[in-house]
Amino acid sequence: MKQNYNLLIGVAGLVGLVLVIAILGYIVSRPKDIVIQGEAEATEYRISGKVPGRIEAFRGEEGQQVRKGDTLVIIDSPEIRSKMTEANAAKAAATAQKEKAMHGARQEQITGAYELWQKALVGEDVMRKSFERIQSLHQQKVVSDQKYDEVEAQYRAAVATAKAAKSQYDMAVKGARQEDKDAAVALVERANAAVELVNAYQDEIRLTSPADGIIAARYPKVGELVGQGSPIMTIQDLSDMWFTFNIREDRLHSMQQGDQITLRIPALDNREIRATVYYIAVRESYATWRATKEIGEFDTRTFEVRARPNQAVEGLRPGMSVIMISREK
């Protein structure tokens, strides 16, 4: 009787052991719930300058809240100062040339041209009388042909000189030709454009914030040389944030734009929030393609899914992890 009792206890113990092992095996081998994890992101602005130079000063520290239009970086650029001096000098010269063309010659120049014209007229009158006398004597065969030709040539030269003097006088009175005036105006406009261009670059030595946000990063240090277009600072706009998930296509489960999802944020004491899916697109195949045909399934690709919180989340910062809890159509 006692022997049968011991046998019964042994069998019960064995059955119990088998049950425990089976339960443990089930627990260990049971498929775990899929965790879809993403992270918070925000719009970022890279601040860079159009002109090369050295960082003269920063007007903000990393993590500091800034407003749109705040001056954040001052660049020292000797090249811009030199170009400004050159442009102003060219503008002054062009303006003087324009004034000269528009107002014509000075009164002293006009008077001088008039005196030369009158002198030429007197010379012309003297040579005309001399030519008339020689012409009369030549007809009487008193002077030679050579003498006649010489006096005639001198008279014609005196006439031409008087005409040239009259032309110079008229030019002095009338001023520059319209073509010269137009050219002078064009020179001034060109000089003004050069000054405006340098002024535009002058504005670029003081870099401002393009939006409200925080200074996420500063790259160079004060005194370092920065080239044209080199990033100097990054501003994050915390008012424009979203969540990004990389989800395999076999786990999308017909997710569509407009779906409502519930998220949990571990960094904010597991706070739960609601968000709306607004973007779904396949990632680059070279980085996300995954071959699974060898185990009888199919080639899977990864999709990028973005969701925007339905309302602002206080304390949320770019880089914080989020866990997708549920999804609703």
Side-chain angles (χ1 to χ4, degrees), residues 142-322:
V142 175
V143 297
S144 62
D145 291 341
Q146 181 178 356
K147 184 64 177 179
Y148 172 81
D149 293 338
E150 290 177 356
V151 175
E152 183 183 18
Q154 291 174 1
Y155 170 63
R156 293 184 182 279
V159 173
T161 300
K163 289 181 179 179
K166 177 64 166 57
S167 177
Q168 291 297 321
Y169 170 71
D170 292 340
M171 185 181 298
V173 172
K174 294 179 181 179
R177 295 182 303 173
Q178 187 60 42
E179 294 84 352
D180 295 332
K181 294 179 180 180
D182 294 342
V185 172
L187 286 176
V188 172
E189 292 177 350
R190 179 180 178 182
N192 287 332
V195 172
E196 291 178 2
L197 178 61
V198 177
N199 282 330
Y201 280 109
Q202 185 76 18
D203 294 338
E204 291 297 325
I205 67 174
R206 301 177 71 90
L207 306 182
T208 60
S209 176
D212 297 346
I214 63 171
I215 300 176
R218 285 188 348 193
Y219 305 111
K221 295 180 175 58
V222 174
E224 289 188 0
L225 183 66
V226 292
Q228 183 178 6
S230 299
I232 299 175
M233 187 180 290
T234 297
I235 304 297
Q236 289 181 337
D237 183 2
L238 300 184
S239 65
D240 185 20
M241 297 192 65
W242 65 90
F243 305 104
T244 300
F245 302 87
N246 291 318
I247 306 176
R248 264 178 30 200
E249 61 179 313
D250 56 337
R251 297 175 181 174
L252 283 174
H253 302 302
S254 302
M255 181 177 290
Q256 297 179 0
Q257 294 180 5
D259 287 356
Q260 297 293 311
I261 58 177
T262 301
L263 306 174
R264 178 166 54 86
I265 307 176
L268 301 180
D269 297 328
N270 289 320
R271 184 189 309 175
E272 294 187 3
I273 64 169
R274 301 273 290 175
T276 303
V277 176
Y278 72 92
Y279 176 87
I280 301 176
V282 66
R283 297 293 302 273
E284 295 82 358
S285 60
Y286 70 86
T288 61
W289 179 80
R290 178 182 177 187
T292 56
K293 286 184 177 180
E294 65 272 11
I295 58 175
E297 295 183 359
F298 56 90
D299 297 339
T300 58
R301 299 182 68 180
T302 299
F303 282 74
E304 180 181 358
V305 178
R306 299 178 189 172
R308 200 178 300 278
N310 294 345
Q311 59 185 11
V313 182
E314 185 177 357
L316 183 64
R317 291 292 183 271
M320 287 185 176
S321 298
V322 291

Side-chain angles (χ1 to χ4, degrees), residues 39-245:
E39 68 174 354
E41 296 186 15
T43 297
E44 291 188 348
Y45 299 92
R46 292 289 182 92
I47 296 179
S48 57
K50 292 183 180 179
V51 298
R54 295 188 181 277
I55 301 296
E56 182 176 328
F58 285 111
R59 295 291 178 85
E61 302 293 335
E62 291 181 339
Q64 178 179 332
Q65 189 80 23
V66 296
R67 307 289 294 178
K68 181 178 180 180
D70 288 350
T71 298
L72 301 179
V73 186
I74 299 177
I75 299 177
D76 178 34
S77 180
E79 293 84 0
I80 295 300
R81 292 196 296 270
S82 176
K83 288 184 178 297
M84 177 60 74
T85 302
E86 180 182 352
N88 285 330
K91 179 180 178 181
T95 302
Q97 186 71 19
K98 175 186 173 183
E99 293 297 322
K100 180 180 178 181
M102 293 301 179
H103 294 91
R106 295 181 301 178
Q107 187 59 42
E108 294 84 350
Q109 293 175 314
I110 296 176
T111 302
Y114 178 78
E115 295 296 339
L116 289 176
W117 175 40
Q118 296 303 309
K119 179 181 178 180
L121 287 178
V122 173
E124 178 188 356
D125 185 61
V126 171
M127 289 307 303
R128 179 179 57 80
K129 292 177 180 179
S130 296
F131 175 67
E132 289 176 352
R133 286 195 297 268
I134 293 297
Q135 189 177 32
S136 176
L137 294 174
H138 181 263
Q139 291 175 353
Q140 299 175 14
K141 305 298 183 180
V142 175
V143 297
S144 62
D145 291 341
Q146 181 178 356
K147 184 64 177 179
Y148 172 81
D149 293 338
E150 290 177 356
V151 175
E152 183 183 18
Q154 291 174 1
Y155 170 63
R156 293 184 182 279
V159 173
T161 300
K163 289 181 179 179
K166 177 64 166 57
S167 177
Q168 291 297 321
Y169 170 71
D170 292 340
M171 185 181 298
V173 172
K174 294 179 181 179
R177 295 182 303 173
Q178 187 60 42
E179 294 84 352
D180 295 332
K181 294 179 180 180
D182 294 342
V185 172
L187 286 176
V188 172
E189 292 177 350
R190 179 180 178 182
N192 287 332
V195 172
E196 291 178 2
L197 178 61
V198 177
N199 282 330
Y201 280 109
Q202 185 76 18
D203 294 338
E204 291 297 325
I205 67 174
R206 301 177 71 90
L207 306 182
T208 60
S209 176
D212 297 346
I214 63 171
I215 300 176
R218 285 188 348 193
Y219 305 111
K221 295 180 175 58
V222 174
E224 289 188 0
L225 183 66
V226 292
Q228 183 178 6
S230 299
I232 299 175
M233 187 180 290
T234 297
I235 304 297
Q236 289 181 337
D237 183 2
L238 300 184
S239 65
D240 185 20
M241 297 192 65
W242 65 90
F243 305 104
T244 300
F245 302 87

